[in-house]
Amino acid sequence: MKGVRRISVLGLMVSLTVILVWGSRWLDAKEKKKVNVVMKKKLKYAQAALKAVARQDFGEISGAAASLTALSHQGDWQVVKHEQYLTYSNDFRRAVAAMSTAAKSKNIDGAALGYVQMTLSCVNCHKWIREVRKTE
Ligand code: HEC
């Protein structure tokens, strides 16, 4: 009788562990998917900004800039909880704002410069993330 009880307790523990492990995996995958959606949108809006800068479409530059800024404030953007990540996010927003301000005053050179600064901020943040991952 005692042996049977021990086996059932063990069985319960094993199933709980399995449920917990699978549960957290599932959450991870779900979270990753949400982050991926944001990152893909970011690329889409950045490409829209390039197209608008190349065509000197000031309205579209402002539109793309507004979408990029809004995206950078979304929860799923804040995937990395680190002060440095906030700094890179602010660099990104500042560059997008410069692009937008220039577009509003119909300054194509300023908008192009803002676009380039934004692109550099993409590369800088990704570079830092790769470094952090390496040391994890
Ligand atoms: C403040 C940091 C930061 C900035 C700025 C940033 N990104 Fe990202 N990006 C991330 C993070 C975090 C990920 C997810 C990386 C991961 O999980 O491996 C990511 C992922 C991506 C991905 C998906 C990569 C893949 O392997 O599928 C693309 C595409 C992307 N970013 C494009 C851009 C573009 C374009 C810009 C600039 C317009 C930009 N990012 C600016 C942080 C940033």
Side-chain angles (χ1 to χ4, degrees):
M1 234 6 224
K2 233 183 180 174
V4 172
R5 199 178 302 146
R6 201 172 294 144
I7 286 170
S8 58
V9 168
L10 198 72
L12 191 66
M13 278 164 67
V14 168
S15 14
L16 273 179
T17 311
V18 168
I19 288 167
L20 278 176
V21 169
W22 273 100
S24 63
R25 280 227 182 113
W26 179 76
L27 262 184
D28 262 8
K30 204 177 153 198
E31 250 164 17
K32 258 193 198 141
K33 217 173 179 180
K34 280 198 325 198
V35 169
N36 262 346
V37 169
V38 169
M39 301 306 166
K40 288 225 168 84
K41 273 192 190 161
K42 181 176 55 175
L43 178 62
K44 196 180 90 184
Y45 296 145
Q47 283 169 337
L50 172 61
K51 186 175 165 197
V53 168
R55 295 175 62 223
Q56 199 176 310
D57 187 329
F58 293 120
E60 274 191 26
I61 297 173
S62 302
S67 303
L68 284 163
T69 304
L71 203 63
S72 77
H73 287 290
Q74 266 190 28
D76 293 332
W77 175 287
Q78 325 293 340
V79 273
V80 185
K81 308 277 180 247
H82 195 289
E83 215 172 298
Q84 193 62 38
Y85 189 77
L86 291 183
T87 306
Y88 284 121
S89 294
N90 283 332
D91 288 348
F92 173 83
R93 289 183 196 119
R94 214 173 302 120
V96 172
M99 180 170 76
S100 175
T101 306
K104 278 181 187 129
S105 50
K106 310 229 176 300
N107 169 4
I108 191 61
D109 293 333
L113 182 61
Y115 177 83
V116 170
Q117 282 166 337
M118 177 192 76
T119 308
L120 290 178
S121 86
C122 312
V123 176
N124 287 337
C125 185
H126 289 185
K127 217 162 82 180
W128 175 74
I129 286 170
R130 277 195 298 269
E131 283 304 309
V132 171
R133 289 255 160 91
K134 249 190 256 166
T135 54
E136 257 177 2

